[in-house]
Amino acid sequence: MKKQRGVALSGLLFWSIVLVLVAVLGMKVAPTYIEYAKTLKDTKAVVAQVAPDASVTDVRKAFDKYAEIDHLAMPSSQLEIFKDGGKIVIEFAYEKRIPLFANVSLLIDYKGTTAGN
């Protein structure tokens, strides 16, 4: 006689619950990561756009324009702007708390800089 192959109902339910939980977690984390990626892209675009002798106020105004277009919640006052070797460098760091269920939440620290690559 041949052995039966397949998935038991209990196994199917277990893996479908695991898959749904991972999908829900991904749907909650993805928007925060997209916002971080937009912020990093906008800071790099600002550094490329402004002149090397631009003031901190000019850099903040340029970032505010990009942030308005991309609907970013991060104000330019949270940016650290300084010069390193004659080049403007922008750094930022913030944390996002994502509520999962009941009193359990996920805390993600985002950090970005325009220095280097």
Side-chain angles (χ1 to χ4, degrees), residues 18-38:
V18 168
L19 183 66
V20 166
L21 290 176
V22 168
V24 168
L25 181 66
M27 288 187 291
K28 288 187 173 211
V29 170
T32 65
Y33 181 77
I34 291 170
E35 182 181 18
Y36 163 74
K38 283 183 179 180

Side-chain angles (χ1 to χ4, degrees), residues 38-117:
K38 283 183 179 180
T39 305
L40 186 60
K41 176 188 67 95
D42 288 350
T43 56
K44 289 182 179 183
V46 166
V47 168
Q49 177 191 8
V50 297
D53 59 341
S55 68
V56 172
T57 307
D58 294 336
V59 175
R60 288 191 195 282
K61 286 180 183 178
F63 178 79
D64 284 336
K65 289 178 185 177
Y66 279 95
E68 184 177 348
I69 291 170
D70 281 340
H71 302 290
L72 297 178
M74 181 177 203
S76 62
S77 60
Q78 289 185 345
L79 300 177
E80 291 185 34
I81 303 167
F82 58 93
K83 288 191 179 185
D84 184 27
K87 296 178 76 176
I88 295 176
V89 176
I90 301 175
E91 291 182 349
F92 62 92
Y94 63 97
E95 57 184 36
K96 278 288 190 177
R97 185 175 303 273
I98 303 166
L100 297 177
F101 55 90
N103 61 348
V104 177
S105 60
L106 177 67
L107 180 67
I108 303 175
D109 288 325
Y110 288 113
K111 295 179 184 176
T113 182
T114 60
N117 294 336

Side-chain angles (χ1 to χ4, degrees), residues 1-7:
M1 243 194 219
K2 290 186 174 182
K3 275 181 112 179
Q4 287 187 353
R5 291 187 167 180
V7 178

